[in-house]
Amino acid sequence: MRCAILPPLIVASLLMLASCASAKLPPYSQVRDETLAVLDAVAKSVPEATEIARTPEFDPYPCNERLTFGTQSGAFFTGQWTIYVDADFDVPDFVERVPQILGEGWEVDPLGIPLSFAQVRMIRESPHMSLTVEESVQGDRKAVELLAMSQCGVPPLGDDTPTN
């Protein structure tokens, strides 16, 4: 009896593992749009923004990059914005309020080392994304820096190894 049950159990286990390994990734355009929506929401919450400078978009970055110890297929989107504010804007207070601005689903991921400027790093599990918000001075201009990284998605060309 034991031998009759074992092969179907092995097959079922292998099928389950295969379905986990081949979980469908969302399209890169979707993860890009999700990330841009979060950047936009945070930017709109800066009441005294004088200018928003969006860093030109990078090529999709591979999720299986050895330097980042990545193991997933696909590519992730990185968005980097600088929001310039008036000289009297309280950037540290704004950075401290970001977790409340983002609301449920986001958790603070502490860096664990002291910094000489205000910073908060947030992680959202679904859809997965990280967002770092920090105080910055660009020349003589005060700013809020935003850096967001999306979950992995299917690259625009449908290729798991985008070129950089």
Side-chain angles (χ1 to χ4, degrees):
M1 181 72 167
R2 200 180 211 172
C3 291
I5 295 174
L6 195 55
L9 253 163
I10 291 172
V11 169
S13 297
L14 289 174
L15 285 174
M16 219 165 58
L17 286 172
S19 69
C20 290
S22 64
K24 282 191 104 180
L25 295 175
Y28 182 81
S29 60
Q30 177 183 329
V31 301
R32 177 187 174 273
D33 290 348
E34 291 167 352
T35 307
L36 290 173
V38 169
L39 289 167
D40 190 52
V42 174
K44 285 180 178 175
S45 67
V46 179
E48 299 175 34
T50 59
E51 177 189 350
I52 299 173
R54 294 165 178 87
T55 300
E57 292 185 14
F58 306 107
D59 288 338
Y61 202 77
C63 293
N64 62 357
E65 173 60 47
R66 289 184 324 172
L67 293 175
T68 60
F69 304 105
T71 59
Q72 263 190 313
S73 62
F76 63 91
F77 174 77
T78 302
Q80 187 173 6
W81 293 7
T82 301
I83 305 166
Y84 294 100
V85 295
D86 289 330
D88 60 345
F89 183 73
D90 190 346
V91 176
D93 178 63
F94 175 78
V95 170
E96 187 176 306
R97 290 186 292 111
V98 168
Q100 291 77 37
I101 291 167
L102 292 175
E104 280 190 43
W106 289 89
E107 292 187 28
V108 174
D109 185 28
L111 186 57
I113 59 171
L115 299 173
S116 61
F117 54 91
Q119 182 200 64
V120 64
R121 182 170 186 266
M122 306 290 296
I123 301 288
R124 181 176 71 187
E125 287 303 319
S126 183
H128 187 72
M129 182 183 308
S130 69
L131 173 70
T132 302
V133 180
E134 65 185 38
E135 176 181 25
S136 175
V137 177
Q138 306 279 326
D140 61 347
R141 298 175 74 186
K142 287 174 72 171
V144 176
E145 293 277 343
L146 307 178
L147 175 65
M149 293 174 12
S150 75
Q151 65 179 317
C152 294
V154 176
L157 303 175
D159 181 353
D160 278 352
T161 55
T163 57
N164 283 355

